[in-house]
């Protein structure tokens, strides 16, 4: 029931609103000209405000970028654009994955790994000897302290 009542009243309100809107069409040409000028002035003011806002935003962004660059320089961080440029250079071949190594590069990597292994094994006996000496020193220190008590 409420729905039917709202529909009947709504149609009558629409008719009243339509009658009021017909006055806008009967305005004088001078009034229309004034309204057009006001609308143009308002549009120009909005455009100027938008330009000022954009300039302010660009200035703030430039200040932020200077601050960001200072931080990047201080901590040695690369800029995203630089990283992307490096990625593009690597991806120019059209490959998604990493670059395949040539047999020559694989041999060089294997030789480098062997050298690292040898250098670690060469250091191991020195480290073990150092550790055993340190342990024996600690034993003597402990036995001296225990004997005093």
């Amino acid at each position: 029931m409420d729905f039917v009542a709202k529909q009947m009243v709504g149609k009558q309100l629409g008719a009243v609103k339509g009658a009021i809107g017909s006055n806008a069409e009967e305005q004088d040409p001078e009034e229309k000209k004034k309204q057009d000028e006001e609308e143009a002035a308002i549009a120009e003011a909005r455009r100027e405000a938008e330009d000022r806002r954009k300039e302010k935003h660009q200035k703030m962004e430039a200040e932020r970028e200077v601050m960001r660059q200072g931080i990047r320089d201080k901590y040695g961080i690369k800029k995203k654009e630089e990283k992307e440029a490096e990625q593009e250079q690597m991806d120019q071949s059209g490959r998604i994955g990493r670059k395949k190594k040539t047999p020559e590069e694989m041999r060089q990597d294997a030789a480098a790994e062997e050298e690292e292994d040898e250098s670690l094994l060469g250091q191991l006996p020195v480290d073990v000897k150092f550790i055993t000496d340190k342990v024996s020193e600690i034993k003597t220190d402990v036995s001296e302290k225990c004997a005093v008590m």
Side-chain angles (χ1 to χ4, degrees):
M1 270 319 243
D2 291 334
F3 178 72
V4 175
K6 288 180 182 177
Q7 288 294 324
M8 291 173 55
V9 173
K11 289 180 182 177
Q12 291 173 356
L13 279 173
V16 172
K17 288 180 183 177
I20 293 173
S22 64
N23 274 346
E25 296 175 4
E26 297 175 6
Q27 292 177 347
D28 291 333
E30 292 177 10
E31 289 179 24
K32 279 189 174 184
K33 187 176 181 181
K34 285 182 182 180
Q35 282 183 344
D36 290 343
E37 288 175 1
E38 288 176 7
E39 289 175 6
I42 291 170
E44 181 64 27
R46 286 182 182 160
R47 203 171 16 257
E48 288 175 4
E50 182 68 16
D51 290 342
R52 284 192 304 266
R53 186 194 66 79
K54 285 182 180 179
E55 288 175 11
K56 181 180 175 183
H57 178 72
Q58 288 175 348
K59 181 182 174 185
M60 288 174 51
E61 192 60 32
E63 290 172 359
R64 289 178 184 154
E65 186 58 34
V66 168
M67 187 181 302
R68 287 185 200 117
Q69 189 60 42
I71 292 169
R72 281 189 212 107
D73 292 342
K74 182 177 180 181
Y75 295 107
I77 301 171
K78 290 185 179 179
K79 193 173 180 180
K80 276 188 178 181
E81 295 170 359
E82 294 171 1
K83 289 180 182 177
E84 291 173 2
E86 289 177 5
Q87 288 290 337
E88 288 177 11
Q89 289 175 353
M90 292 178 71
D91 293 338
Q92 285 178 355
S93 62
R95 301 186 63 84
I96 295 175
R98 67 171 196 228
K99 180 184 162 193
K100 286 190 174 182
K101 294 183 178 180
T102 62
E104 173 97 15
E105 290 173 337
M106 292 176 79
R107 276 188 246 122
Q108 290 174 351
D109 289 346
E113 286 179 18
E114 288 177 13
E115 288 177 12
E116 288 177 12
D117 291 342
E118 290 174 6
S119 65
L120 288 176
L121 291 174
Q123 292 176 359
L124 186 60
V126 174
D127 291 340
V128 171
K129 185 177 181 183
F130 175 75
I131 291 171
T132 55
D133 291 341
K134 195 69 166 172
V135 169
S136 64
E137 287 177 26
I138 293 172
K139 280 183 183 180
T140 57
D141 290 342
V142 170
S143 64
E144 288 174 5
K145 288 182 181 179
C146 287
V148 172
M149 291 182 170

